[in-house]
Amino acid sequence: MIQSNISLKDYNTFGLDITASSFCVVKSKTEIINLIQNEFSKYAKKLFLGGGSNILFLKDYGGLVIKNEIKGIEIERETDEYVYLKSYSGTQWNDLVLYCVDKNLGGIENLSLIPGTVGAAPMQNIGAYGVEIKDVFESLEAIDLTTGETIIFNNNDCQFGYRESIFKNQQKNKFFIYSVTFRLNKKPVLNLNYGDIQKKLIENGCVNPTIKDVSNAIIEIRNSKLPNPKEIGNAGSFFKNPEVSIEKYSELFLLFPSMPKYDLPNGNVKIPAAWLIEQCGFKGKKYGNTGNHAKQALVIVNYGNASGIEIYNHAILVQKEVEIKFGILLSAEVNFI
Ligand code: EPU
């Protein structure tokens, strides 16, 4: 049923009280196809919403917001080594992680507690603690929004990059992601190289860690650094970590010898945007109803009454200051609507 003038406050993790002129919930593939073919909704501007965890609404939405509640997890097939799990796109990402951890299926435990839905995960190739979904992604089923036809995209078809996929670029707004199939390892191989994971496992007394131990350690690390959107509105990292040439990094290093970096296989380096932002003095500072979180400078928060434009203007200020100080233009990870 399509409803009019609905507040999206509970449907975006910034907690912005904006209004959608039309709104509906979908629970099946048939309902999606009906919306594509229905006389009223066929031509309407549409926004498919998963967890609303990577979106900044700049104003009320004049169009149809479709909340995806097509949920479920099933085993598609298995081999001696792998289980291929198909998950419907409205499933909460963390519910899938919990399912895998519970069944000792390895591959996504480092992605514990990431907010959002399974369908949004391939859109921006979600990643954390040394793992990206492209590492375990097998395929997805997408519905063509013009024809209603189901198309299969394999890993290469998705053109995954750092927080990028074909669905944010050439195929933007052309498909609805209906289900995603992941390849999970029956004999989990742990990925413990990133940051504080090893330290946290030792602290927790885990000598031979299981994927449950890893998942718990990551949950503890995330909870200690990242604000819970249920308490303070936010969308995780606001910007991507910038990639620069080694020459540019070397120039900057002479001026800022404590600047951290990660080496990339292509010879370039990635610099933590959080560090650049912190050096500009934004960390933990409040600007009206917004500002940068005290424990993670890359997270821009809504202290309660911010508008989308106020958050956006603050992000532009941060971007400008970083550019002036370091000559690096940060690009947003969050999508502006
Ligand atoms: N740092 C600072 N100041 C801060 C925070 C961090 O200087 O306030 C520096 C430190 O040098 C630290 C480095 O930044 O070692 C990296 O920090 P962190 O491990 O917290 O990760 P990040 O690079 O800021 C990325 C992802 C996160 C993901 C973490 C962990 C991006 C844009 N963000 O953040 O993903 O959880 O790594 O893997 O790549 C998200 O995409 O929304 C997200 C939260």
Side-chain angles (χ1 to χ4, degrees):
M1 189 189 57
I2 297 178
Q3 297 168 276
S4 300
N5 299 325
I6 295 293
S7 167
L8 297 183
K9 192 170 173 27
D10 294 337
Y11 299 111
N12 72 103
T13 59
F14 268 117
L16 299 170
D17 191 7
I18 62 109
T19 302
S21 58
S22 309
F23 177 87
C24 70
V25 171
V26 287
K27 295 196 170 175
S28 69
K29 190 175 187 175
T30 316
E31 286 177 6
I32 290 286
I33 308 271
N34 286 345
L35 277 178
I36 296 170
Q37 288 165 355
N38 170 294
E39 276 313 308
F40 167 75
S41 50
K42 194 154 121 184
Y43 303 109
K45 185 168 105 174
K46 296 183 196 64
L47 174 68
F48 289 95
L49 208 55
S53 53
N54 207 37
I55 279 184
L56 179 66
F57 285 105
L58 301 179
K59 54 180 192 281
D60 288 341
Y61 189 77
L64 176 60
V65 171
I66 302 157
K67 174 80 175 78
N68 179 0
E69 285 191 6
I70 307 174
K71 296 181 186 201
I73 301 167
E74 57 197 45
I75 294 176
E76 196 175 79
R77 62 197 157 96
E78 55 186 296
T79 63
D80 289 346
E81 250 180 301
Y82 300 112
V83 170
Y84 294 82
L85 270 191
K86 175 169 171 167
S87 178
Y88 294 92
S89 53
T91 310
Q92 283 301 317
W93 171 261
N94 199 49
D95 288 347
L96 177 67
V97 175
L98 292 175
Y99 176 99
C100 292
V101 167
D102 187 51
K103 303 223 161 359
N104 201 37
L105 296 172
I108 56 173
E109 57 281 0
N110 289 32
L111 305 178
S112 294
L113 217 62
I114 293 186
T117 55
V118 166
M123 288 268 184
Q124 58 151 359
N125 181 26
I126 58 167
Y129 303 100
V131 174
E132 292 180 326
I133 74 146
K134 74 166 171 48
D135 305 332
V136 289
F137 176 96
E138 183 64 16
S139 63
L140 64 77
E141 286 179 288
I143 300 173
D144 185 315
L145 293 174
T146 325
T147 62
E149 202 186 341
T150 301
I151 314 267
I152 308 286
F153 286 79
N154 293 320
N155 199 314
N156 283 339
D157 301 331
C158 294
Q159 298 182 12
F160 289 125
Y162 169 52
R163 298 295 192 275
E164 288 293 346
S165 78
I166 198 166
F167 303 104
K168 274 180 86 175
N169 295 293
Q170 294 99 303
Q171 302 294 6
K172 193 173 174 171
N173 299 331
K174 297 205 177 112
F175 289 95
F176 169 78
I177 295 176
Y178 172 61
S179 75
V180 187
T181 299
F182 300 96
R183 190 190 64 251
L184 284 319
N185 207 327
K186 288 182 172 176
K187 296 179 196 103
V189 182
L190 304 183
N191 185 334
L192 308 177
N193 296 328
Y194 191 97
D196 293 341
I197 305 180
Q198 304 253 25
K199 203 172 124 210
K200 182 56 79 185
L201 286 167
I202 293 168
E203 245 175 67
N204 291 354
C206 305
V207 184
N208 289 311
T210 61
I211 60 171
K212 182 142 188 67
D213 296 327
V214 175
S215 172
N216 286 339
I218 281 165
I219 289 171
E220 283 179 47
I221 297 171
R222 286 186 73 98
N223 281 338
S224 71
K225 286 188 185 169
L226 297 169
N228 179 348
K230 288 191 179 122
E231 287 155 19
I232 306 175
N234 75 89
S237 303
F238 198 96
F239 297 102
K240 294 192 218 176
N241 288 329
E243 179 175 335
V244 300
S245 67
I246 189 71
E247 290 78 17
K248 168 80 182 168
Y249 178 80
S250 308
E251 275 169 35
L252 287 169
F253 184 72
L254 293 176
L255 300 169
F256 307 99
S258 63
M259 181 181 274
K261 71 162 166 63
Y262 312 104
D263 296 314
L264 295 173
N266 64 6
N268 287 342
V269 303
K270 219 183 241 187
I271 303 174
W275 187 88
L276 300 170
I277 294 168
E278 183 171 344
Q279 297 302 307
C280 292
F282 286 107
K283 187 169 177 172
K285 250 201 214 159
K286 229 177 143 181
Y287 293 75
N289 296 303
T290 183
N292 296 66
H293 191 59
K295 291 185 185 153
Q296 226 304 359
L298 188 50
V299 179
I300 296 185
V301 297
N302 174 9
Y303 286 109
N305 296 311
S307 67
I309 289 289
E310 188 178 357
I311 294 171
Y312 177 81
N313 286 340
H314 179 68
I316 296 291
L317 174 72
V318 170
Q319 192 188 40
K320 265 202 194 127
E321 295 290 316
V322 167
E323 194 179 12
I324 290 167
K325 194 169 171 104
F326 299 103
I328 293 175
L329 183 65
L330 295 179
S331 68
E333 189 196 291
V334 166
N335 299 300
F336 306 125
I337 305 281

